[in-house]
Amino acid sequence: EMKGNTIIVVFGASGDLAKKKTFPALFRLFRQGFLPNDVKIVGYARTKMDKAEFHSRATSYIKKSDDDAGLAESIDKFKDTLTYVDGDYDTGAAFDVLNAHLLEIEAHYTSEDKNRLFYFALPPNVFVTVAKNIKEHVYASPGVNRIIVEKPFGKDLDSARELLSSLKQYWSEEETYRIDHYLGKEMVKNILVLRFANVAFASCWDKSHISNVQITFKEPFGTEGRGGYFDSFGIIRDVLQNHLLQVLSILTMERPVSFSAEDIRDEKVKVLRCIPPIAQEDTLLGQYVGADGKPGYLDDDTVPRGSVCPTFAATTLWINNPRWEGVPFILKAGKGIMNGRYFCPKSKYGIQFKDVTQGIFQDIARNELVIRIQPSEAVYLKMNAKTPGLQTHAMVTEMDLTYNRRFAEAKIPEAYEALILDALQGDHSNFVRHDELDVAWKIFTPILHWIDGKNGTPPHPSSYPYGLRGPQDLDKFIQKYGYHRTTAN
Ligand code: BG6
């Protein structure tokens, strides 16, 4: 664990990820006293700016919802921990300057040990250079050094392997924390407890009881200016291959021997290895077009003309092991999708159980256990109950555990908050191990190559109007796998 004498260096400190996620998370941890005593946070980026400007950037995304009497004072204290160094990413000399700054900070520390946590809020084309330069110019010894990196980890199996092995030259697996921020989300962390601490769920968690599983991600906005990045990746690399597959692996793995990081990740890798590459016929692709005054994907200036990049994808995966054989796992994600009243990203996973045996009941709805990851964390079970009254009719209703009602006082941490704390504490459970990434790419690479047109003409995604649920064929696609819609009264 990194205790005392810790410096967190945020690379790419002037960028979007740092501003929107990294600094607000650091602030919340700082405020709740979770950062090591005497922590210092150093921003590093190419942009030249003075301390005041850096301070205002680093605190610009602090949530107004954190507002209370002490907020301004906490922000001031937080600013006292923040300094900034500008420099490029590819020259050793620039990193020497950074190192000199860190040594100066450390000169005030009493103990010999130095802990340095390096956070890469960077575009992937500089990952390796920065990893190398830190190792050669800024690595503390004696001390604990760690890097936090985040996707994209390559674009397919080969490029991911190449990237990982380049990084491995400088940083060991032990020192590397690969973020998939879905693993930091409360309702994803909750899966372990739901599944393994409840015999009611544990005992029916298999192909004999479960008909199908859906893991869904929807965003009511498009790429808006981020089209350059997005277009060379597409929705599958952006969301399915990492975030949704992570949810799937925890939902389906066997019970780990313990809660240790390696035991958990061993089980995840094992189940992922049972998944064959996704078949083309198990895939539905879409791209949003302008509607209701909202621009289509191709209207975004940052998107190349005529791009056939999918902004929506539904894929069905199969797990070839005795527990799950024959159960379809439908992963779907899309941008420019709106349904329901919230104008914010939505994600959830639903486990739909099989029909009850016919006999005394006909046309009875299926049970479905739904876990809403966001917004408004919830676990609810769609179930049948007797309609209250004198007659005996069954109706669909819900057993509902909505967090903001049941745990009104609880502050649910942001994903990045949870993950940065884990990295400081040396806990890898919620980070992606190298072999996990490898097998995730094996599952998705063939379908990605097909979509990229590597083996011929790329498939044309079906268009869907911005703001709808996705391509028109979506319902048919899902029904093909035996999904039945259940609506509670
Ligand atoms: C990122 C994707 O990993 O996750 C984005 O690159 C997406 O496209 C984002 O918008 C969603 O994360 P969250 O947790 O902020 O909804």
Side-chain angles (χ1 to χ4, degrees), residues 11 82 119 140 158 194 198 214 222 268 346 369 377 429:
F11 290 94
L82 295 174
Y119 192 111
D158 288 345
L194 272 183
N198 294 297
Q214 285 196 63
K268 286 166 71 185
K346 295 211 281 194
L369 177 68
E377 293 80 357
S429 316

Side-chain angles (χ1 to χ4, degrees), residues 17 21 150-152 179-182 185 217-219 221-223 226 229-230 234-235 237-239 242-243 335 344-347 373-374 414-416:
L17 178 69
K21 304 282 193 186
E150 187 164 352
K151 72 155 208 290
I179 284 199
D180 181 313
H181 81 285
Y182 257 60
K185 289 188 188 270
F217 168 104
K218 302 173 196 159
E219 278 183 340
F221 36 81
T223 48
R226 223 173 134 238
Y229 150 79
F230 188 86
I235 194 73
R237 292 183 182 93
D238 196 43
V239 176
N242 32 67
H243 305 329
K335 302 244 170 203
C344 60
K346 295 211 281 194
S347 61
I373 302 173
Q374 67 194 61
E414 294 282 338
Y416 283 89

Side-chain angles (χ1 to χ4, degrees), residues 11-13 44-46 87-91 95 119-134 147 149-150 152 163 166-167 170-171:
F11 290 94
Y44 184 96
R46 276 191 285 241
D88 60 42
Y89 293 127
D90 27 54
T91 59
F95 284 75
Y119 192 111
F120 286 35
L122 290 170
N125 60 322
V126 295
F127 282 0
V128 178
T129 336
V130 171
K132 174 176 188 284
N133 280 328
I134 302 174
I147 57 170
V149 264
E150 187 164 352
L163 174 68
S166 307
L167 291 172
Y170 310 107
W171 295 88

